[in-house]
Amino acid sequence: MFIHPLSDVQSNRIGDNTRVWQFSVILPDAVIGSGCNICAHTLIENDVIIGNDVTVKSGVFIWDGITIEDKVFIGPSVTFTNDKQPRSKEYPQEFFRTHIKKGASLGANCTILPGITLGENCMIGAGAVVTKSVPDYAVVVGNPAKIIKWLNKND
């Protein structure tokens, strides 16, 4: 495991061969698998589970309530949300759960609203605003994100 000295890694539940780059913050209860690459300028909160071989590019904040399965790619500046009606200093009793399934690929600057599932091997286009769950192998783009095609299981 490699942890850059300019990162703040409080969790001891990080798998082998994972790399954490500078200016990253990982809170104590976060779970991160092996073979991951957590790029610079990222935040991972406590109630987060990240599988193996996941790439989290720069500028991504992963909030409480998010589960990411194996081999997921999260592009630069992807935005996750976990509260449908956020208010300053007012917190829900429980945050919405968001589930990113194995092999999903999230393009740069897409926004993922809370409480949805992104299906296995789906692709989210850059800048898309995902307002509802995405099926396995679907490719979605736009605002709101719409299915434009389907991938083959070999893609």
Side-chain angles (χ1 to χ4, degrees):
M1 172 181 3
F2 168 79
I3 298 176
H4 195 282
L6 293 177
S7 64
D8 178 6
V9 176
Q10 301 166 29
S11 175
N12 61 7
R13 299 192 298 178
I14 298 174
D16 294 335
N17 299 317
T18 287
R19 295 170 294 173
V20 180
W21 295 95
Q22 63 271 33
F23 314 119
S24 295
V25 176
I26 301 174
L27 296 185
D29 293 330
V31 177
I32 300 173
S34 63
C36 295
N37 189 31
I38 310 299
C39 292
H41 302 280
T42 54
L43 168 72
I44 299 172
E45 284 196 315
N46 282 302
D47 185 16
V48 171
I49 299 171
I50 297 176
N52 300 318
D53 300 316
V54 171
T55 298
V56 179
K57 299 303 274 181
S58 297
V60 175
F61 307 133
I62 304 175
W63 308 112
D64 285 335
I66 297 174
T67 298
I68 300 166
E69 292 185 3
D70 297 345
K71 299 187 180 217
V72 169
F73 175 83
I74 301 172
S77 300
V78 165
T79 299
F80 290 102
T81 59
N82 65 356
D83 189 344
K84 289 186 180 183
Q85 296 178 318
R87 298 280 186 229
S88 181
K89 304 293 183 185
E90 295 179 20
Y91 305 102
Q93 287 188 343
E94 187 175 354
F95 288 105
F96 284 89
R97 308 296 306 177
T98 298
H99 189 166
I100 316 301
K101 289 189 175 180
K102 182 180 178 182
S105 184
L106 286 64
N109 292 304
C110 68
T111 299
I112 311 301
L113 293 187
I116 64 174
T117 297
L118 301 183
E120 193 169 314
N121 291 310
C122 73
M123 296 193 80
I124 312 300
V129 177
V130 183
T131 60
K132 60 185 179 180
S133 293
V134 175
D136 296 350
Y137 297 96
V139 177
V140 300
V141 299
N143 180 6
K146 303 276 187 210
I147 298 171
I148 61 163
K149 72 177 192 173
W150 297 91
L151 299 172
N152 295 319
K153 292 192 187 236
N154 297 327
D155 288 337

